[in-house]
Amino acid sequence: MTDFPKRTSYPTDMTDEEWELYQEVFPEHCGYPGLKQPKYSVRELLNAIRYKEKTGCQWANLPHDFPPWKHVSRYFYPWKKEGRFERFRQLVVKETRVLEGRQETPTAGAMDSKSVPIASTKGPKGVDGNKKIKGHKRHILVDVLGLLLVVLITPANVADSVAGAMLLLAARRLYPTLKLIWADGTYRGKNLEEASAKTGIEVEIKEKPRDQKGFVPIRKRWVVERTFGWQMWSRQLSKGYDHTKSSLAAWVDIAMASLCLRRLFGQPSVFAN
């Protein structure tokens, strides 16, 4: 393995404590088919990926004091395919829940979707008739702390009730303890009802009062809105820059894992910078 030259640190660089956690999912020997071990430090490759997530820069515009961008991207895609970013996010979510005095796995949560404009002609796309946005939808399920449990990417024209059913099925596999999910009125529909009956997860619709004017946080459901707000501090998530659903989901995993790490180690949130 080549030692990378010392450089000035970036705010997105991981700390030694964070690196200890990363190594549970990204050990130093986690190369990709054809390489026995990475040419550069896994920690430095991950630092470059974290930098891209925060800044939204193109691969080719990664600063030159990181490993070569082609090398970084060459590891990003196999790691994504192996589910390492998702597994790491799940790990730090559990750690954060325990730190907050809760059980590792949740019993309740909230789900919602956000339409994201497309920036690549090759990515998943559709037109959200309500928001008038062409791009993809980011469907998320979070726990009562707003920590990400499941993310699903679809074209923007996919109905929330259809995607919500898929979220329920995925949530049941990952979180057997989950019993209740709050959602808004767009999730009403046969698909969600069938998924709720199949999984045993109750879905409670929380809607704003008919006479409400302007935005007012809705009890129980507001946490998922806050999570979308956190995600907007990640420039990689501001638009649909990637060509595949799996890559779009992986960047969400990376951003949400960074948030958990800041909570775990008492650092100022990277989303506030």
Side-chain angles (χ1 to χ4, degrees), residues 207-254:
E207 294 187 284
K208 65 181 182 181
R210 294 180 179 276
D211 58 349
Q212 176 182 312
K213 295 182 179 180
F215 174 76
V216 177
I218 299 175
R219 187 172 178 269
K220 302 291 188 182
R221 213 188 74 208
W222 68 273
V223 292
V224 70
E225 301 289 352
R226 183 181 61 178
T227 302
F228 279 130
W230 287 337
Q231 291 178 1
M232 287 301 96
W233 286 102
S234 168
R235 293 192 178 181
Q236 186 68 35
L237 302 185
S238 63
K239 288 187 179 180
Y241 293 108
D242 291 82
H243 297 172
T244 65
K245 297 176 184 177
S246 59
S247 291
L248 291 165
W251 289 114
V252 178
D253 287 327
I254 294 165

Side-chain angles (χ1 to χ4, degrees), residues 36-268:
K36 293 182 179 180
Q37 66 177 19
K39 183 179 179 181
Y40 296 94
S41 162
V42 169
R43 179 172 179 172
E44 194 67 352
L45 293 170
L46 287 168
N47 277 334
I49 290 170
R50 284 162 52 112
Y51 180 94
K52 175 171 167 57
E53 172 270 310
K54 174 63 176 174
T55 64
C57 71
Q58 296 170 315
W59 284 117
N61 284 329
L62 279 173
H64 293 169
D65 49 4
F66 281 126
W69 71 266
K70 289 185 178 179
H71 202 86
V72 178
S73 66
R74 196 177 298 160
Y75 281 94
F76 170 82
Y77 293 105
W79 285 345
K80 173 204 71 173
K81 187 175 182 180
E82 294 166 0
R84 291 184 187 269
F85 298 114
E86 180 181 16
R87 296 205 310 273
F88 182 70
R89 187 258 304 159
Q90 292 169 347
L91 169 65
V92 292
V93 164
K94 288 181 179 179
E95 295 281 346
T96 306
R97 284 183 56 83
V98 171
L99 180 69
E100 297 288 341
R102 297 179 179 274
Q103 298 296 318
E104 283 190 351
T105 56
T107 58
M111 63 181 176
D112 205 349
S113 69
K114 179 180 180 63
S115 293
V116 183
I118 190 171
S120 169
T121 57
K122 297 181 181 179
K125 57 183 178 291
V127 177
D128 182 337
N130 292 325
K131 302 292 179 62
K132 309 302 181 186
I133 292 176
K134 182 179 181 179
H136 70 270
K137 263 188 185 179
R138 188 180 301 147
H139 306 267
I140 63 172
L141 170 61
V142 303
D143 68 3
V144 295
L145 299 174
L147 306 179
L148 183 69
L149 301 178
V150 184
V151 58
L152 173 69
I153 305 297
T154 69
N157 60 331
V158 173
D160 284 351
S161 61
V162 174
M166 291 187 279
L167 280 179
L168 284 190
L169 295 172
R172 173 51 69 222
R173 292 193 301 271
L174 296 170
Y175 306 100
T177 55
L178 200 58
K179 298 178 181 178
L180 174 64
I181 292 176
W182 297 289
D184 65 24
T186 61
Y187 285 89
R188 284 198 177 94
K190 182 179 179 181
N191 291 284
L192 195 68
E193 291 173 1
E194 291 178 349
S196 178
K198 183 176 182 178
T199 60
I201 301 175
E202 179 185 354
V203 178
E204 183 178 326
I205 302 298
K206 307 285 288 187
E207 294 187 284
K208 65 181 182 181
R210 294 180 179 276
D211 58 349
Q212 176 182 312
K213 295 182 179 180
F215 174 76
V216 177
I218 299 175
R219 187 172 178 269
K220 302 291 188 182
R221 213 188 74 208
W222 68 273
V223 292
V224 70
E225 301 289 352
R226 183 181 61 178
T227 302
F228 279 130
W230 287 337
Q231 291 178 1
M232 287 301 96
W233 286 102
S234 168
R235 293 192 178 181
Q236 186 68 35
L237 302 185
S238 63
K239 288 187 179 180
Y241 293 108
D242 291 82
H243 297 172
T244 65
K245 297 176 184 177
S246 59
S247 291
L248 291 165
W251 289 114
V252 178
D253 287 327
I254 294 165
M256 293 292 94
S258 293
L259 172 65
C260 288
L261 289 170
R262 294 308 192 274
R263 288 192 179 187
L264 283 171
F265 298 111
Q267 302 169 37

